[in-house]
């Protein structure tokens, strides 16, 4: 076990502690996606520790961040009163004045109602911090409900640079998101651009246990991070080249017959015929002589004897005819309009899409060894169908994120592991009412989402917008002006591309309110700042944790361990109070949060009282149903796994997975001036732009660093620890050089999220808007993004690194 992780022991149970003033309260750590079950230790009204709670399905251990809870609570830099700006946004001194909640909320409501009356609710955008890396997950349902009830179809929640690929692009292939790796039963676990050792503790422990039980682990990561160090196979891909690797592995599997042919035939659209003229799937009704008994909308497949057979929507190709369709084949189809059109099966087309990605070509594109492509294919084949995988931030933050996700998803489809024991499984969740208020936003308002003109398949279809679209609306009034922003903790200046553009747009807003714990560079551009409390100062209802069936079944009402500091409040409180002042009380149970929580909880049959009596949580046990699609079909247009996506075709995108070079390619012209490929990653001890103020965390990384190969450093006259300038076509920052001999010498990784004001034992803060600061966002442009998801190229940039004199 790593020294940064503390495992639970019996002695951690302090509930029997004799000291009357010391209490150990069951809870869970709200800081990140792992949501580790915990014990919150309070002494004389102060939070003094957070410890693991082994009785909780996610509570076996606690990471350094969870242990730093008291430092995060008693952070001297927290904002504890509502603040009003009294000087213009260009002014170096905002002239913050402390005001009452009543005045703050009154001013916010007045400003929002004015903009809504003049320009419609769509002129007010909302922003929400990540629920995977902040405890906003406690209350996100209410913030979404507020946006919906207010009538705004424009919510920036960063999905395009975090999870859109795995949770939504994946739907194009499987009709659902990536679901949960069933680690406990996996024989092969693929971590593709995901490093749970540092980012998801509970899953990391589950993977360790699976390894002990014999599971193989594959890591696809440019860095030798986490499980890469002792993986069965570590593929050190060039950042942004993952799509080529997936297509290459699929090619090997197809060529060698290393795939589950029966599964692919019965449950994917592989056997369906594609028309050679328009690329659509052939329908029985289009044929001059449809197969007997076929419905007009049935798809068409080919039997071994050359006959055409009909396939209804849904699984199992033979549609009752008893004849199995072939996978690879083509035929001249005689159409009802008299034309003859060459048709090929999806499978044949898929083979062609992979054909160019020979091991040698993949090696040249991905900067790996040719033999590693076959090694990956072999591992997937030998473990199938007990293959689970997770791909996260590593494959998302690229201009080719959608196609990369398609390539990985279709590769995994070949293993037959969908919903199989040991595959990726939709466990049975504890039932809950969705309180996010989707029903409150009408179709006409939804249609006004500013992102829809970019792609109707991307986040905009759910009313979600990228920061690039938001800045365009504010600065260029495209497609219409956005005049006000209500921010719940999203730190655009640090975590999205191009801090300068973000700052310019935020300063141009007529009105901006930010609810946050601290004055981030983004919050500092607001007109009003609302102080939010940490998770230990508020109650939180969680119906269902993540990672296993036991976790999915867990329901918990985490108590507040201590009272909120100063005037800080929970997001839920802010939303319910603001809703009243906006005249939206009817959608918020008349301002009664308890009634809202009871509504969420209703389907569980549990009451808030019962949960309060069991603060450690309760299980609503449910059996895991594997292979559900056998009965239900897939939630895709064809009812099958879609190796070929007519939906993408209809939206002008490639229907088969394809590898596109990232917008900034080392094989392009820009590489002459910027020869190094640049990516980023998370650090175990920080979340994004947070946590540097906690001394126990900061000591792991006292100063911001760029990590590069010693050879790359030496060639530039850089020694370890030297201050350096990292420069891209978009901007420059100052970092410290750290050596990482496991990297490809052409690749560097740069830390992000640095802006914090100085702490007692660290240097001064880092100006998020200066070359002398360390804000990664300055290095990346938001002008070229993934055409569907809108993903910004935070992980496939090109840069150059120059030494600076130590005093520079
Ligand atoms: N270069 C680079 N950029 C990245 C990434 C990367 O890997 N590299 N990762 C991307 C990813 S995956 C994500 S999800 C985004 C995250 O982007 P953000 O969501 O902006 O992430 P944070 O900086 O963690 O948090 C933003 C703010 O939320 C505040 N906050 C914390 N808890 C609460 C709360 O309970 N309520 C409220 N109202 N505010 C709270 C914090 O104080 C912080 O100021 O960053 C993205 N940006
Ligand atoms: N400690 C900590 N934990 C967190 C968070 C945090 O900020 N800090 N944030 C939470 C959030 S919001 C999220 S989204 C998750 C993310 O969780 P992860 O996805 O595990 O996090 P990352 O470190 O951003 O990225 C994973 C890996 O992708 C690799 N990578 C970089 N570029 C590429 C590439 O082009 N291809 C491939 N294949 N890999 C690449 C990185 O080297 C890194 O090791 O973590 C959550 N947990
Ligand atoms: S892994 Fe996440 S949830 Fe678990 S203790 Fe660490 S910060 Fe908290
Ligand atoms: Mo994220």
């Amino acid at each position: 076990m790593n020294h940064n992780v503390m495992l639970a022991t019996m002695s951690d149970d302090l509930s029997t502690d004799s000291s009357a003033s010391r209490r150990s309260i069951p809870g869970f750590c709200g800081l990140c996606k792992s949501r580790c079950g915990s014990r919150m230790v309070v002494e004389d009204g102060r939070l003094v520790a957070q410890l693991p709670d082994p009785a909780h399905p996610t509570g076996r251990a606690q990471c350094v961040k969870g242990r730093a809870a008291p430092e995060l609570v008693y952070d001297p830099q927290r904002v504890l009163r509502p603040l009003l700006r009294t000087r213009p946004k260009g002014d170096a001194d905002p002239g913050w004045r402390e005001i009452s909640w009543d005045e703050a909320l009154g001013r916010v409501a007045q400003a929002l109602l004015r903009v809504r009356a003049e320009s419609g609710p769509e002129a007010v955008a909302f922003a929400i911090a990540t629920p995977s890396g902040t405890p906003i997950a406690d209350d996100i349902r209410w913030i979404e409900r507020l946006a919906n009830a207010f009538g705004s179809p424009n919510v920036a929640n960063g999905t395009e640079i975090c999870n859109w690929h795995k949770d939504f692009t994946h739907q194009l292939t499987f009709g659902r998101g990536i679901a949960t790796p069933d680690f406990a039963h996996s024989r092969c676990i693929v971590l593709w651009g995901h490093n749970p050792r540092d980012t998801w503790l509970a899953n990391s422990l589950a993977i360790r246990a699976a390894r002990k039980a014999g599971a193989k682990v594959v890591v696809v990561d440019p860095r030798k991070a986490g499980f890469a160090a002792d993986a069965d196979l570590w593929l050190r891909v060039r950042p942004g080249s993952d799509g080529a690797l997936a297509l290459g592995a699929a090619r090997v599997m197809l060529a060698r017959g290393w795939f589950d042919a029966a599964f692919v035939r019965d449950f994917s659209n592989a056997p369906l015929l594609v028309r050679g003229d328009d690329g659509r799937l052939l329908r029985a009704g289009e044929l001059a002589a449809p197969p007997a008994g076929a419905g007009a909308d049935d798809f068409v497949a080919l039997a071994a004897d050359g006959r055409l057979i009909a396939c209804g929507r849904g699984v199992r190709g033979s549609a009752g005819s008893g004849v199995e369709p072939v996978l690879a084949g083509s035929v001249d189809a005689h159409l009802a309009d008299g034309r003859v059109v060459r048709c090929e099966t999806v499978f044949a087309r898929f083979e062609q899409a992979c054909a160019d990605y020979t091991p040698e070509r993949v090696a040249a594109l991905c900067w790996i060894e040719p033999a590693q492509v076959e090694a990956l294919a072999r591992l997937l084949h030998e473990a199938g169908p007990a293959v689970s995988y997770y791909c996260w931030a590593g494959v998302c933050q690229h201009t080719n994120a959608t196609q990369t996700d398609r390539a990985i998803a279709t590769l995994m489809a070949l293993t037959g592991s969908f919903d199989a024991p040991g595959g990726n499984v939709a466990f049975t969740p504890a039932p809950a009412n969705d309180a996010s208020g989707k029903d409150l936003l009408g179709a006409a308002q939804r249609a006004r989402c500013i992102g829809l003109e970019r792609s109707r398949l991307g986040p905009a279809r759910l009313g979600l917008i990228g920061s690039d679209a938001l800045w365009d609306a504010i600065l260029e009034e495209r497609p219409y002006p956005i005049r006000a922003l209500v921010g719940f903790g999203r730190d655009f200046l640090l975590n999205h591309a191009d801090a300068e553009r973000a700052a310019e747009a935020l300063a141009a807003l007529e009105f901006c309110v930010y609810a946050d714990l601290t004055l981030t560079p983004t919050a500092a551009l607001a007109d009003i700042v609302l102080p939010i409390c940490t998770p230990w100062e508020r109650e939180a209802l969680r119906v269902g944790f993540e990672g296993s069936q036991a976790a999915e079944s867990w329901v918990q009402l985490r108590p507040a361990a201590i009272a909120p500091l100063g005037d800080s409040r929970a997001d839920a409180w802010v939303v319910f109070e603001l809703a009243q002042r906006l005249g939206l009380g009817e959608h918020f149970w008349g301002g009664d949060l308890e009634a809202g929580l009871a509504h969420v909880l209703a389907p569980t049959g549990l009451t808030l009282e019962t949960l309060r009596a069991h603060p450690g949580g309760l299980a609503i046990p449910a059996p895991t149903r594997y292979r559900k699609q056998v009965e239900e079909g897939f939630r895709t247009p064809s009812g099958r796994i879609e190796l070929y996506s007519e939906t993408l075709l209809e939206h002008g995108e490639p229907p088969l997975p394809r590898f596109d070079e990232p917008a900034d390619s080392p094989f392009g012209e820009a590489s002459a001036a910027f020869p190094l490929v640049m990516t980023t990653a998370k650090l175990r001890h920080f979340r994004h732009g947070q946590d540097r103020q906690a001394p126990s965390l900061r000591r792991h990384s006292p100063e911001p660093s760029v990590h590069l190969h010693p050879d790359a450093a030496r060639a530039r006259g850089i020694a370890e620890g030297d201050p350096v300038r990292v420069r891209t076509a978009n901007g420059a920052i100052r970092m410290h050089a750290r050596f990482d001999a496991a990297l490809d010498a052409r690749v560097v990784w740069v830390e992000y999220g640095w802006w914090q004001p100085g702490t007692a034992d660290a240097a001064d803060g880092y100006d998020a808007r200066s070359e002398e600061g360390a804000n990664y966002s300055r290095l990346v442009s938001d002008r070229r993004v993934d055409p569907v998801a809108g993903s910004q190229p935070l992980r496939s940039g090109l840069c150059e690194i120059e030494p600076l004199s130590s005093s520079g």
Side-chain angles (χ1 to χ4, degrees), residues 158-496:
T159 184
E160 73 283 1
I161 48 172
C162 175
N163 68 321
W164 182 264
H165 66 298
K166 72 180 175 69
D167 294 329
F168 297 96
T169 307
H170 243 60
Q171 292 177 356
L172 292 168
T173 308
F174 292 122
R176 70 151 203 222
I178 192 167
T180 307
D182 184 15
F183 294 124
H185 302 107
S186 294
R187 297 206 291 142
C188 178
I189 297 167
V190 183
L191 303 171
W192 202 314
H194 175 42
N195 175 22
R197 277 253 178 104
D198 293 347
T199 60
W200 193 337
L201 178 56
N203 276 8
S204 172
L205 297 177
I207 294 166
R208 263 174 35 117
R211 277 211 80 168
K212 280 213 178 104
K216 298 267 201 296
V217 172
V218 176
V219 175
V220 187
D221 196 313
R223 300 185 309 142
K224 195 173 189 173
F227 288 99
D230 51 6
D232 297 281
L233 180 63
W234 168 39
L235 294 150
R236 191 179 67 179
V237 284
R238 166 172 68 97
S241 72
D242 301 83
L245 174 61
L247 292 170
R251 180 185 171 282
V252 173
M253 291 171 79
L254 297 177
R256 311 234 158 156
W258 287 354
F259 66 104
D260 188 336
F263 177 87
V264 167
R265 183 193 63 209
D266 291 344
F267 298 114
S268 86
N269 65 3
L272 307 186
L273 287 168
V274 182
R275 290 174 55 142
D277 54 349
D278 60 10
R280 290 178 54 259
L281 294 175
L282 180 67
R283 305 302 202 275
E286 294 160 1
L287 290 168
D297 290 334
D298 283 356
F299 302 107
V300 183
L302 196 59
D305 62 6
R307 261 188 306 147
L308 296 181
I309 50 179
C311 294
R313 193 188 168 281
V315 295
R316 289 255 166 221
S318 52
S321 68
V323 185
E324 297 291 5
V326 298
L327 280 175
S330 62
V331 68
D332 287 324
H334 294 259
L335 302 188
D337 62 13
R339 286 183 304 141
V340 177
V341 168
R342 186 89 185 145
C343 297
E344 281 173 301
T345 62
V346 163
F347 187 85
R349 291 266 186 129
F350 185 70
E351 276 184 321
Q352 290 154 26
C354 300
D356 284 348
Y357 294 90
T358 60
E360 294 67 33
R361 175 132 188 268
V362 172
L365 285 169
C366 301
W367 299 354
I368 60 175
E369 296 300 322
Q372 291 183 314
V373 183
E374 180 168 323
L376 170 59
R378 183 186 291 279
L379 280 169
L380 296 179
H381 165 55
E382 288 175 352
V387 175
S388 66
Y389 67 103
Y390 212 75
C391 28
W392 206 349
V395 293
C396 173
Q397 298 160 6
H398 300 284
T399 54
N400 57 13
T402 297
Q403 287 303 325
T404 299
D405 184 80
R406 281 276 295 154
I408 294 174
T410 50
L411 169 66
M412 293 303 166
L414 300 178
T415 65
S417 63
F418 184 94
D419 231 14
N424 284 44
V425 176
F427 289 114
T428 312
N433 277 327
D434 173 11
S436 66
K438 292 188 182 71
D439 48 320
L440 299 173
L441 191 70
Q445 256 338 86
R446 282 189 186 285
R448 294 199 174 98
C449 176
I450 55 170
L452 280 171
E453 62 170 24
R454 292 162 194 247
S455 171
R456 308 191 73 80
L457 271 188
R461 72 182 171 81
L462 301 183
L464 301 172
I465 59 174
S467 56
D468 52 324
L470 180 56
W471 311 150
D472 286 353
I474 296 169
L475 293 170
E476 293 162 24
E477 311 198 340
R478 273 194 297 129
Y480 55 79
I482 283 190
R483 299 171 55 192
L485 178 67
V486 183
F488 285 87
R490 176 148 294 271
D491 195 353
F492 289 112
L493 258 67
L494 271 295
N495 298 320
H496 290 247

Side-chain angles (χ1 to χ4, degrees), residues 531-567:
I532 299 301
C533 59
T534 71
W536 300 279
E537 299 157 76
R538 64 196 194 212
E539 205 178 49
L541 173 65
R542 179 128 213 117
V543 184
F545 289 68
E546 286 175 75
S548 64
Q549 183 61 65
E552 296 265 1
S553 304
W554 203 254
V555 182
Q556 189 175 7
L557 187 63
R558 188 192 65 219
I562 54 170
L565 267 57
D567 286 342

Side-chain angles (χ1 to χ4, degrees), residues 29-48:
C29 177
L31 294 182
C32 88
K33 179 96 163 168
S34 190
R35 293 186 254 279
C36 304
S38 74
R39 290 276 177 159
M40 310 181 286
V41 185
V42 178
E43 227 174 66
D44 299 325
R46 278 178 73 86
L47 183 82
V48 295

Side-chain angles (χ1 to χ4, degrees), residues 723 725 734 772 804-808:
R725 183 84 63 215
R734 185 178 187 276
E772 300 307 318
L804 291 172
S805 67
S806 303
S807 55

Side-chain angles (χ1 to χ4, degrees), residues 129-130 133-136 161-162 397 488-491 495 515-518 520 532 538 571 680 682 687-690 752 776 794-795:
T130 169
T134 78
I136 208 153
I161 48 172
C162 175
Q397 298 160 6
F488 285 87
R490 176 148 294 271
D491 195 353
N495 298 320
D516 203 315
L517 286 81
T518 186
T520 63
I532 299 301
R538 64 196 194 212
D571 294 290
T680 69
K682 297 179 192 3
R687 289 163 301 144
H688 310 291
Q690 305 182 72
Y752 72 102
Y776 185 89
L794 296 166
R795 299 213 178 190

